[in-house]
CSV table of all heavy atoms in Angstrom, one decimal:
chain,number,residue,atom,x,y,z
A,334,SER,N,1.8,24.2,-4.0
A,334,SER,CA,2.1,24.4,-2.6
A,334,SER,C,1.7,23.2,-1.7
A,334,SER,O,2.4,23.0,-0.7
A,334,SER,CB,1.3,25.7,-2.1
A,334,SER,OG,-0.1,25.5,-2.3
A,335,SER,N,0.7,22.5,-2.1
A,335,SER,CA,0.3,21.3,-1.3
A,335,SER,C,1.4,20.2,-1.4
A,335,SER,O,1.8,19.6,-0.4
A,335,SER,CB,-1.0,20.7,-1.8
A,335,SER,OG,-2.1,21.6,-1.4
A,336,VAL,N,1.9,20.0,-2.6
A,336,VAL,CA,3.0,19.0,-2.8
A,336,VAL,C,4.3,19.4,-2.1
A,336,VAL,O,4.9,18.6,-1.4
A,336,VAL,CB,3.3,18.8,-4.3
A,336,VAL,CG1,4.6,18.0,-4.5
A,336,VAL,CG2,2.1,18.2,-5.0
A,337,LEU,N,4.6,20.7,-2.1
A,337,LEU,CA,5.8,21.1,-1.4
A,337,LEU,C,5.6,21.0,0.1
A,337,LEU,O,6.5,20.6,0.8
A,337,LEU,CB,6.1,22.6,-1.8
A,337,LEU,CG,6.6,22.8,-3.3
A,337,LEU,CD1,6.7,24.3,-3.6
A,337,LEU,CD2,7.9,22.1,-3.6
A,338,GLY,N,4.5,21.5,0.6
A,338,GLY,CA,4.2,21.4,2.0
A,338,GLY,C,4.2,20.0,2.5
A,338,GLY,O,4.7,19.6,3.6
A,339,TYR,N,3.6,19.1,1.7
A,339,TYR,CA,3.6,17.7,2.0
A,339,TYR,C,5.0,17.1,2.2
A,339,TYR,O,5.3,16.5,3.2
A,339,TYR,CB,2.8,16.9,0.9
A,339,TYR,CG,3.0,15.4,1.0
A,339,TYR,CD1,2.2,14.6,1.8
A,339,TYR,CD2,4.0,14.8,0.2
A,339,TYR,CE1,2.4,13.2,1.8
A,339,TYR,CE2,4.2,13.5,0.2
A,339,TYR,CZ,3.4,12.7,1.0
A,339,TYR,OH,3.6,11.3,1.0
A,340,TYR,N,5.8,17.4,1.2
A,340,TYR,CA,7.2,16.8,1.3
A,340,TYR,C,8.0,17.5,2.4
A,340,TYR,O,8.9,16.8,3.0
A,340,TYR,CB,7.9,16.9,0.0
A,340,TYR,CG,7.5,15.8,-1.0
A,340,TYR,CD1,6.8,16.1,-2.2
A,340,TYR,CD2,7.8,14.5,-0.7
A,340,TYR,CE1,6.5,15.0,-3.0
A,340,TYR,CE2,7.5,13.4,-1.5
A,340,TYR,CZ,6.8,13.7,-2.7
A,340,TYR,OH,6.4,12.7,-3.6
A,341,CYS,N,7.7,18.7,2.7
A,341,CYS,CA,8.5,19.3,3.9
A,341,CYS,C,8.1,18.6,5.2
A,341,CYS,O,9.0,18.3,6.0
A,341,CYS,CB,8.1,20.8,4.0
A,341,CYS,SG,8.9,21.8,2.7
A,342,TYR,N,6.9,18.2,5.4
A,342,TYR,CA,6.5,17.5,6.6
A,342,TYR,C,7.0,16.0,6.5
A,342,TYR,O,7.5,15.5,7.6
A,342,TYR,CB,5.0,17.5,6.7
A,342,TYR,CG,4.4,18.9,7.2
A,342,TYR,CD1,3.4,19.4,6.5
A,342,TYR,CD2,5.0,19.5,8.3
A,342,TYR,CE1,2.9,20.7,6.8
A,342,TYR,CE2,4.5,20.8,8.7
A,342,TYR,CZ,3.5,21.4,7.9
A,342,TYR,OH,3.0,22.6,8.3
A,343,ILE,N,7.0,15.4,5.4
A,343,ILE,CA,7.6,14.1,5.3
A,343,ILE,C,9.1,14.1,5.6
A,343,ILE,O,9.6,13.3,6.3
A,343,ILE,CB,7.3,13.5,3.8
A,343,ILE,CG1,5.9,13.2,3.6
A,343,ILE,CG2,8.2,12.3,3.6
A,343,ILE,CD1,5.4,12.0,4.4
A,344,MET,N,9.8,15.1,5.0
A,344,MET,CA,11.2,15.2,5.3
A,344,MET,C,11.5,15.5,6.8
A,344,MET,O,12.4,14.9,7.4
A,344,MET,CB,11.8,16.3,4.4
A,344,MET,CG,11.9,15.9,3.0
A,344,MET,SD,12.9,17.0,1.9
A,344,MET,CE,11.9,18.5,2.0
A,345,LEU,N,10.7,16.3,7.4
A,345,LEU,CA,10.9,16.6,8.8
A,345,LEU,C,10.7,15.3,9.7
A,345,LEU,O,11.4,15.0,10.6
A,345,LEU,CB,10.0,17.7,9.3
A,345,LEU,CG,10.4,19.1,8.9
A,345,LEU,CD1,9.2,20.1,9.1
A,345,LEU,CD2,11.6,19.6,9.7
A,346,GLY,N,9.6,14.6,9.3
A,346,GLY,CA,9.3,13.3,10.0
A,346,GLY,C,10.5,12.3,9.9
A,346,GLY,O,10.9,11.7,10.9
A,347,MET,N,11.0,12.1,8.7
A,347,MET,CA,12.1,11.2,8.5
A,347,MET,C,13.3,11.7,9.2
A,347,MET,O,14.1,10.9,9.8
A,347,MET,CB,12.4,11.0,7.0
A,347,MET,CG,11.2,10.4,6.2
A,347,MET,SD,11.5,10.2,4.4
A,347,MET,CE,12.8,8.9,4.5
A,348,TYR,N,13.6,12.9,9.1
A,348,TYR,CA,14.8,13.5,9.7
A,348,TYR,C,14.8,13.3,11.3
A,348,TYR,O,15.7,12.8,11.9
A,348,TYR,CB,14.9,15.0,9.4
A,348,TYR,CG,16.2,15.7,9.8
A,348,TYR,CD1,17.3,15.6,9.0
A,348,TYR,CD2,16.2,16.4,11.0
A,348,TYR,CE1,18.5,16.2,9.4
A,348,TYR,CE2,17.4,17.1,11.3
A,348,TYR,CZ,18.5,16.9,10.5
A,348,TYR,OH,19.7,17.6,10.9
A,349,PHE,N,13.6,13.6,11.9
A,349,PHE,CA,13.6,13.5,13.3
A,349,PHE,C,13.4,12.1,13.8
A,349,PHE,O,13.9,11.7,14.9
A,349,PHE,CB,12.4,14.4,13.9
A,349,PHE,CG,12.8,15.8,14.0
A,349,PHE,CD1,12.4,16.7,13.0
A,349,PHE,CD2,13.6,16.3,15.0
A,349,PHE,CE1,12.8,18.1,13.1
A,349,PHE,CE2,14.0,17.6,15.1
A,349,PHE,CZ,13.6,18.5,14.1
A,350,ASP,N,12.9,11.2,13.0
A,350,ASP,CA,12.9,9.8,13.3
A,350,ASP,C,14.3,9.2,13.4
A,350,ASP,O,14.5,8.3,14.1
A,350,ASP,CB,12.1,9.0,12.2
A,350,ASP,CG,10.7,8.7,12.6
A,350,ASP,OD1,10.2,9.2,13.6
A,350,ASP,OD2,10.0,7.9,11.9
A,351,SER,N,15.2,9.8,12.6
A,351,SER,CA,16.6,9.3,12.6
A,351,SER,C,17.3,9.7,13.8
A,351,SER,O,18.5,9.2,14.0
A,351,SER,CB,17.3,9.8,11.3
A,351,SER,OG,17.7,11.2,11.4
A,352,PHE,N,16.8,10.6,14.6
A,352,PHE,CA,17.5,11.0,15.8
A,352,PHE,C,16.9,10.5,17.1
A,352,PHE,O,17.5,10.4,18.1
A,352,PHE,CB,17.5,12.6,15.9
A,352,PHE,CG,18.5,13.2,15.0
A,352,PHE,CD1,18.1,13.7,13.8
A,352,PHE,CD2,19.9,13.2,15.3
A,352,PHE,CE1,19.1,14.3,12.9
A,352,PHE,CE2,20.8,13.8,14.5
A,352,PHE,CZ,20.4,14.3,13.3
A,353,SER,N,15.6,10.1,17.1
A,353,SER,CA,15.0,9.6,18.3
A,353,SER,C,13.8,8.7,17.9
A,353,SER,O,13.2,8.9,16.8
A,353,SER,CB,14.4,10.7,19.2
A,353,SER,OG,13.4,11.4,18.5
A,354,PRO,N,13.5,7.6,18.7
A,354,PRO,CA,12.4,6.7,18.3
A,354,PRO,C,11.1,7.4,18.1
A,354,PRO,O,10.7,8.1,19.0
A,354,PRO,CB,12.4,5.7,19.5
A,354,PRO,CG,13.7,5.8,20.1
A,354,PRO,CD,14.2,7.3,19.9
A,355,ALA,N,10.5,7.2,16.9
A,355,ALA,CA,9.2,7.9,16.6
A,355,ALA,C,9.3,9.4,16.7
A,355,ALA,O,8.3,10.0,17.0
A,355,ALA,CB,8.1,7.3,17.4
A,356,GLY,N,10.5,9.9,16.6
A,356,GLY,CA,10.6,11.4,16.8
A,356,GLY,C,9.9,12.3,15.7
A,356,GLY,O,9.7,13.4,15.9
A,357,GLY,N,9.5,11.6,14.6
A,357,GLY,CA,8.8,12.4,13.5
A,357,GLY,C,7.3,12.3,13.6
A,357,GLY,O,6.7,12.7,12.6
Side-chain angles (χ1 to χ4, degrees):
S334 62
S335 291
V336 169
L337 294 173
Y339 164 85
Y340 278 116
C341 284
Y342 288 127
I343 289 290
M344 290 190 293
L345 285 167
M347 296 179 71
Y348 189 82
F349 282 99
D350 262 9
S351 76
F352 284 100
S353 63

